[in-house]
């Protein structure tokens, strides 16, 4: 910052240099005093943990001052990649996330396009309003509802399936490991469908109606318009949100999985449900292997950032608006 | 749409309406069913078949949970963390946003970068856990409040709003000798009620729904919020359910876990009543809430 006097935007740094900066700073000390508490808060609660990740390269023992433990290099990462448990956890994380990306990502887009085709405004608003509701409840409440909905005794789903003669004995949906991936997707869809559609509905509302008329004159049918105008118009929004989703790929929703598995008490379920976040919690906080768990957490964050940057790059290469 | 409806349109519209009705039904049914169960006599519920409304109406389940000191106390904790969380969070976040809305703020670029990075990268749970530990926030009510004083995302929303306020308003006050504190508290905050309400709702819902902080940082039962109580109830209910299933395999139908002294309560009724009181405040403010939230999402989507 010091001594760099080449091309300054007009009015930003008239005086330049460190003295000028201090003077200007002191002039607006009241403004700074409004900002600084927030900045300090961010430094403490976001940056100190970032610095704390170096414990992934150390042998942290309880009572150690963070960052001052013995260095062990990549030892924990070597353990991580040879640990069959971590392999399982990685598999679950990737499968659950990809399933969600495949189903829970496009569903709100389809929902938004379909809801746009509803011409009765009152019905449309009612459907929308109701569809948001699950977003506002916690996963604990959602879990309670879902457990009961899929419950073995008198749960709505089992009752309906029994009544329709599709099954002859109730299915323990949340008790069987093999079903967990499906249940994770279904419950996530239930909770987020309406809310995630909002942004697409907003994008659709801002489409110029002339486009539809022009398309109609060109002889476009209903489906052609839905595809060529509605969908193509919201494509930039879709791409943007897709980039974010890819950047979150290894976050498989800790809340949801902890609640739906009853905090991982059932080992049969755990084999299919344990994801990186729950694993980090289990080995790190319950199991006291802090450095090892921090390594797993760091691995996740780094992969996520790399995925985000890659997705962003691909999107910009293909000429889409990006981050 | 001047075009006449064709047969194909008619079919499409019908199917579309059916899909929407299915979405509505699937979304609402679990809530309605739970409400019905929570208002139904526990013994009767065991017989099954409760769908949209209670068969044998009673408020007994609600009486029972509020007689439980744990539930009652947890409810107060939830209310306290929500109210205190909203006030303090709003103040700190707004102050930061107000400063950041000024293009003449010294160090603004640096501050901005400082705020953006944590949105994409974080230290993860373990270092965070040890931070909270060394700050002495374990088993303290303040662990609900202090770490969430500033929300970066909320700050960006507020900043966008503040930047839209005509600067003449502030300048005239400044010329009259008002300092930035006066401007912030006396001028900016009073005229910013729409954004303050929006963020207050964001913070409030977040606080009311939070359970993870209590789960890992609090062992003291008297500091647990209502979400934690519900979480332990559903774990036990599942446990009871498994036991009931094992029993059912040996001898005919059994009513699920009897609790209390001679009082017939089934775990399901208790769970549902607790669930209902947990969700009640949200459902009550929800109609007002959603409009604000949607606005927030829109501002957010314009990219911070």
């Amino acid at each position: 910052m010091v001594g760099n006097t080449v091309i300054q935007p007009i009015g930003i740094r008239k005086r330049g240099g460190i003295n000028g900066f201090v003077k200007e700073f002191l002039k607006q000390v009241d403004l700074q005093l409004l900002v600084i508490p927030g900045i300090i808060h961010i430094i403490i609660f976001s940056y100190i943990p970032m610095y704390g990740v170096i414990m992934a390269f150390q042998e942290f023992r309880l009572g150690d001052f963070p960052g001052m433990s013995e260095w062990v290099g990549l030892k924990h990462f070597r353990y991580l990649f040879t640990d069959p448990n971590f392999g399982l956890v990685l598999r679950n994380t990737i499968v659950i996330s990809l399933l969600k990306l495949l189903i829970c990502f496009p569903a709100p887009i389809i929902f938004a396009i379909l809801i746009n085709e509803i011409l009765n405004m009152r019905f449309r608003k009612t459907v929308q309003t109701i569809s948001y509701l699950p977003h506002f409840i916690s996963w604990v409440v959602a879990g309670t509802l879902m457990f009961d909905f899929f419950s073995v005794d008198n749960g709505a789903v089992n009752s309906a399936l029994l009544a329709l003669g599709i099954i002859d004995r109730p299915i323990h949906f949340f008790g069987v490991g093999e079903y967990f991936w499906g249940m994770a997707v279904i419950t996530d869809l239930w909770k987020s469908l309406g809310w995630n559609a909002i942004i697409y509905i907003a994008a659709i509302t801002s489409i110029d109606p002339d486009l539809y008329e022009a398309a109609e004159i060109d002889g476009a049918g209903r489906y052609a318009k839905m595809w060529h105008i509605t969908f193509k118009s919201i494509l930039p929004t879709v791409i943007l949100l897709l980039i974010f989703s890819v950047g979150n790929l290894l976050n498989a929703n800790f809340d949801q999985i902890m609640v739906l598995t009853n905090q991982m008490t059932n080992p049969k379920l755990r084999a299919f449900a344990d994801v990186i976040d729950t694993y980090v919690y289990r080995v790190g906080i319950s199991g006291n292997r802090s450095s090892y768990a921090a390594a797993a957490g760091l691995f996740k964050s780094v992969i996520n950032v790399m995925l985000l940057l890659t997705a962003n790059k691909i999107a910009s290469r293909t000429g889409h608006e990006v981050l | 749409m001047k075009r006449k409806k064709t047969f194909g349109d008619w079919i499409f519209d019908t199917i579309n309406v059916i899909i929407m009705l299915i979405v509505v039904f699937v979304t609402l049914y679990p809530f309605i069913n739970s409400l019905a169960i929570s208002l139904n006599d526990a013994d009767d519920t065991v017989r099954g078949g409760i769908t949209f409304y209670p068969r044998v109406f009673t408020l007994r389940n609600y009486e029972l949970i509020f007689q439980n000191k744990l539930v009652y106390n947890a409810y107060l904790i939830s209310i306290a963390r929500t109210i205190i969380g909203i006030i303090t969070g709003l103040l700190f976040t707004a102050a930061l946003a107000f400063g950041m809305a000024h293009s003449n703020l010294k160090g603004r670029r640096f501050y901005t970068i400082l705020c953006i990075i944590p949105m994409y990268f974080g230290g993860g749970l373990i270092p965070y856990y040890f931070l909270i530990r060394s700050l002495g926030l374990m088993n303290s009510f303040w662990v609900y409040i202090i770490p969430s004083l500033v929300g970066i995302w909320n700050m960006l929303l507020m900043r966008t709003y503040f930047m839209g306020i005509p600067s003449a308003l502030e300048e005239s006050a400044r010329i009259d000798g008002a300092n930035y504190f006066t401007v912030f508290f006396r001028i900016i905050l009073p005229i910013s009620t729409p954004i303050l309400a929006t963020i207050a709702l964001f913070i409030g819902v977040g606080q009311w729904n939070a359970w993870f902080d209590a789960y890992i940082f609090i062992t003291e039962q008297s500091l647990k919020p209502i979400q934690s109580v519900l979480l332990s109830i559903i774990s036990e209910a599942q446990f009871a359910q498994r036991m009931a299933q094992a029993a059912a395999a040996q001898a005919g139908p059994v009513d699920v876990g009897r609790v209390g002294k001679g009082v017939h309560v089934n775990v399901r009724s208790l769970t549902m009543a607790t669930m209902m009181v947990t969700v009640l405040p949200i459902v009550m403010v929800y109609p007002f809430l959603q409009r604000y939230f949607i606005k927030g999402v829109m501002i957010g989507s314009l990219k911070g």
Side-chain angles (χ1 to χ4, degrees):
Chain A
M1 236 177 217
V2 190
N4 180 7
T5 48
V6 213
I7 320 171
Q8 291 294 344
I10 302 158
I12 287 195
R13 206 186 303 164
K14 284 179 213 114
R15 267 179 259 215
I18 194 82
N19 279 335
F21 182 83
V22 170
K23 261 185 204 151
E24 292 282 319
F25 187 93
L26 289 176
K27 250 197 196 160
Q28 50 171 238
V29 73
D30 45 350
L31 189 61
Q32 292 287 347
L33 281 177
L34 284 164
V35 173
I36 286 168
I39 294 295
I40 291 174
H41 185 277
I42 291 172
I43 290 173
I44 293 176
F45 288 98
S46 297
Y47 285 88
I48 291 184
M50 277 186 220
Y51 163 77
V53 298
I54 65 172
M55 70 193 275
F57 305 94
Q58 298 178 329
E59 196 66 67
F60 182 83
R61 288 190 183 82
L62 260 184
D64 276 5
F65 191 72
M68 302 296 270
S69 316
E70 182 199 341
W71 289 92
V72 292
L74 293 175
K75 178 182 150 196
H76 298 299
F77 291 91
R78 273 199 300 274
Y79 278 159
L80 201 62
F81 299 130
T82 51
D83 187 340
N85 283 326
F86 186 71
L88 204 64
V89 162
L90 198 58
R91 178 200 70 171
N92 293 338
T93 313
I94 291 172
V95 171
I96 292 173
S97 296
L98 282 181
L99 281 175
K100 282 185 184 174
L101 200 61
L102 215 66
I103 295 166
C104 301
F105 183 79
I109 303 173
I110 297 168
F111 181 64
I113 292 175
L114 285 182
I115 214 166
N116 185 52
E117 296 293 322
I118 303 261
L119 296 176
N120 182 327
M121 273 323 241
R122 187 179 259 177
F123 180 59
R124 186 163 151 180
K125 282 270 176 285
T126 312
V127 174
Q128 260 181 276
T129 305
I130 290 170
S131 72
Y132 305 147
L133 180 61
H135 173 79
F136 292 98
I137 62 173
S138 70
W139 263 110
V140 180
V141 171
T144 314
L145 289 170
M146 290 294 109
F147 282 146
D148 203 73
F149 194 54
F150 288 99
S151 157
V152 180
D153 44 23
N154 297 322
V157 175
N158 272 316
S159 302
L161 291 176
L162 283 170
L164 292 171
I166 295 170
I167 52 172
D168 49 11
R169 40 181 306 167
I171 299 172
H172 199 355
F173 286 101
F174 280 108
V176 182
E178 281 81 355
Y179 297 157
F180 186 80
W181 293 342
M183 296 311 291
V185 170
I186 290 172
T187 52
D188 190 47
L189 195 63
W190 179 80
K191 197 166 184 301
S192 64
L193 176 78
W195 184 256
N196 288 347
I198 289 185
I199 198 155
Y200 301 116
I201 293 171
I204 290 173
T205 340
S206 64
I207 298 173
D208 184 356
D210 289 353
L211 283 176
Y212 288 102
E213 254 171 60
E216 231 165 84
I217 291 162
D218 290 345
R222 188 166 190 168
Y223 300 103
K225 279 189 287 181
M226 275 161 62
W227 175 255
H228 288 291
I229 301 187
T230 314
F231 181 71
K232 292 281 166 66
S233 303
I234 63 171
L235 197 58
T237 314
V238 173
I239 303 267
L240 192 71
L241 292 182
L242 188 62
I243 295 172
F244 278 118
S245 299
V246 170
N248 271 317
L249 198 72
L250 294 191
N251 298 340
N253 199 337
F254 182 93
D255 277 45
Q256 178 197 15
I257 287 167
M258 276 309 256
V259 169
L260 293 186
T261 56
N262 273 317
Q263 300 113 67
M264 298 279 163
T265 42
N266 177 353
K268 273 192 226 145
L269 207 57
R270 197 195 294 158
F272 291 89
D274 209 3
V275 293
I276 298 178
D277 287 330
T278 52
Y279 183 70
V280 166
Y281 168 78
R282 234 161 19 82
V283 298
I285 290 171
S286 311
N288 263 325
R289 293 170 66 197
S290 317
S291 284
Y292 174 77
L298 180 60
F299 169 78
K300 188 199 79 168
S301 298
V302 170
I303 299 285
N304 269 343
V305 170
M306 275 162 46
L307 284 171
L308 181 79
L309 295 176
T310 313
N312 193 39
K313 191 134 218 168
I314 294 172
S316 69
R317 282 269 169 80
T318 52
H320 286 102
E321 205 181 317
V322 289
L323 302 181
Chain B
M1 306 277 165
K2 282 158 260 162
R3 213 157 46 90
K4 246 193 115 196
K5 245 186 170 184
T6 64
F7 183 63
D9 279 337
W10 191 82
I11 291 181
F12 178 90
D13 286 332
T14 310
I15 293 175
N16 198 7
V17 168
I18 292 171
I19 292 173
M20 292 304 150
L21 289 176
I22 292 172
V23 170
V24 167
F25 178 78
V26 171
T27 308
L28 281 187
Y29 185 76
F31 287 98
I32 295 169
N33 184 233
S34 304
L35 180 65
I37 291 169
S38 74
L39 290 169
N40 197 57
D41 179 72
D43 278 346
D44 182 69
T45 300
V46 179
R47 283 172 43 218
I50 308 285
T51 49
F52 291 95
Y53 47 86
R55 195 164 42 206
V56 183
F57 180 84
T58 177
L59 288 174
R60 186 90 189 106
N61 301 318
Y62 287 91
E63 278 169 33
L64 279 170
I65 59 161
F66 272 111
Q67 273 166 15
N68 185 328
K69 237 188 134 195
L70 211 66
V71 175
Y72 180 74
N73 182 65
Y75 215 63
L76 293 182
I77 290 285
S78 277
I79 293 171
R81 71 174 288 177
T82 303
I83 293 173
I84 300 173
I86 288 175
I87 296 169
T88 55
L90 216 50
L91 198 66
F92 273 74
T93 309
L96 179 61
F98 171 73
M100 297 287 281
H102 286 77
S103 55
N104 66 332
L105 178 77
K106 286 277 136 189
R108 187 175 187 243
R109 272 181 66 94
F110 171 69
Y111 295 150
T112 307
I113 294 167
L114 214 61
C115 291
I116 300 284
I117 291 173
M119 297 178 80
Y120 298 98
F121 185 82
L125 179 65
I126 304 296
Y128 185 72
Y129 177 81
F130 285 105
L131 171 72
I132 297 293
R133 249 180 104 108
S134 39
L135 290 174
L137 289 173
M138 302 288 279
N139 267 326
S140 153
F141 175 79
W142 298 105
V143 79
Y144 302 141
I145 306 297
I146 295 174
S148 46
L149 283 178
V150 175
I152 296 177
W153 181 247
N154 291 343
M155 186 279 283
L156 291 177
L157 291 186
M158 284 179 140
R159 191 189 61 165
T160 311
Y161 186 91
F162 291 150
M163 290 200 309
I165 296 174
S167 55
L169 216 61
E170 181 177 323
E171 273 159 25
S172 59
R174 297 271 302 152
I175 291 165
D176 291 343
N179 64 20
Y180 282 108
F181 278 91
T182 319
V183 172
F184 176 61
F185 284 107
R186 290 283 169 80
I187 297 173
I188 300 298
L189 286 189
I191 60 166
S192 303
T193 36
I195 192 74
L196 293 180
T198 310
I199 304 295
L201 286 169
F202 272 107
I203 298 174
V205 172
Q207 286 283 5
W208 185 265
N209 281 341
W211 61 277
F212 182 63
D213 43 13
Y215 187 69
I216 61 172
F217 299 125
I218 302 280
T219 49
E220 186 85 38
Q221 212 34 259
S222 62
L223 287 173
K224 294 266 187 193
I226 188 73
Q227 306 281 348
S228 301
V229 171
L230 184 59
L231 187 66
S232 38
I233 289 181
I234 58 174
S235 312
E236 281 153 32
Q238 290 287 301
F239 181 68
Q241 225 164 43
R242 276 203 299 277
M243 294 209 318
Q245 275 154 21
Q250 294 168 346
V254 190
D255 66 339
V256 183
R258 280 166 190 267
V259 189
K261 313 163 207 88
V263 190
H264 290 183
V265 184
N266 90 37
V267 178
R268 196 171 171 207
S269 305
L270 267 189
T271 312
M272 289 310 152
T274 314
M275 201 281 293
M276 276 298 149
V277 300
T278 308
V279 86
L280 187 72
I282 299 273
V283 172
M284 266 167 23
V285 291
Y286 171 66
F288 312 97
L289 197 107
Q290 53 135 343
R291 180 182 315 168
Y292 280 115
F293 270 87
I294 292 163
K295 224 180 270 166
V297 170
M298 301 300 179
I299 307 171
S301 69
L302 298 177
K303 237 160 68 164

